Amino acid sequence: MVPNQVSYADFLDRFAAYVADIIVVILLATGFSFAVDLVRMAIGIEPTWTEDADTAFGLVIGWLYFAGMESSKYQATLGKIGTGIIITGLDGNRLSFRRASWRYIAKLISWITFFLGFLVAAVTPKKQAFHDYAANTIVVKKPNKGFNRTLESPGPAKPGKFGGRAG
């Protein structure tokens, strides 16, 4: 790979990262739900957790996890870090929390449409899913990270080019 050449994350890298992230979100949501139940029992209130409450907490925890991690200095969730991919704006800069939140909302639309928005990434030139188009983002391979380890990788991405300020 030539230095500063963009290498878009392929569908399988993104899928593997997403599966790992869903497991993380489920564990976080389950842990939070369990902690709330313990506190309620400790103060003598009968737990009355409903499926709707679980769904709402799962969505909020998912939003905080995805938007928070993708707008952080890492530009990636734990699953993306593991597969060596990052989220960036089309300009190469880090996402703001607001933009990452919009990307998460657009990702929910992909869920509602039976994952069609995710499948778009398999056939588009920059491998963008619906939520990437909606938020003007791309997912790129970070050289020599995760599953992308090679001897010829030029090293980590440079600031300003997939590692700059929030935008």
Side-chain angles (χ1 to χ4, degrees):
M1 183 161 98
V2 179
N4 291 332
Q5 178 183 349
V6 177
S7 179
Y8 301 107
D10 60 37
F11 185 78
L12 290 178
D13 281 339
R14 292 179 68 152
F15 180 75
Y18 196 65
V19 168
D21 289 330
I22 291 301
I23 291 168
V24 169
V25 170
I26 288 170
L27 290 173
L28 289 171
T30 302
F32 182 79
S33 176
F34 183 69
V36 168
D37 283 347
L38 284 178
V39 169
R40 291 184 77 165
M41 286 189 301
I43 60 175
I45 299 173
E46 187 64 35
T48 56
W49 213 249
T50 66
E51 226 175 277
D52 291 338
D54 279 340
T55 300
F57 276 115
L59 289 172
V60 170
I61 289 170
W63 164 57
L64 293 173
Y65 171 75
F66 281 99
M69 292 291 293
E70 291 172 355
S71 64
S72 74
K73 69 178 183 175
Y74 302 107
Q75 296 180 254
T77 58
L78 296 175
K80 287 178 184 70
I81 290 168
T83 57
I85 58 180
I86 60 172
I87 308 289
T88 182
L90 294 175
D91 58 2
N93 287 327
R94 185 174 61 159
L95 305 185
S96 65
F97 184 78
R98 181 179 181 180
R99 190 173 185 187
S101 296
W102 173 244
R103 187 175 186 274
Y104 178 73
I105 291 166
K107 195 180 291 186
L108 294 178
I109 294 169
S110 292
W111 268 80
I112 293 168
T113 59
F114 304 103
F115 306 100
L116 291 177
F118 293 101
L119 297 176
V120 172
V123 296
T124 57
K126 293 181 181 177
K127 303 190 189 296
Q128 290 174 286
F130 168 76
H131 48 277
D132 294 314
Y133 279 107
N136 291 319
T137 60
I138 53 175
V139 183
V140 297
K141 293 182 179 186
K142 198 168 182 187
N144 210 21
K145 299 291 179 188
F147 297 130
N148 303 317
R149 296 185 189 282
T150 62
L151 294 175
E152 59 274 353
S153 288
K158 304 288 184 249
K161 200 67 171 158
F162 314 119
R165 295 188 340 229

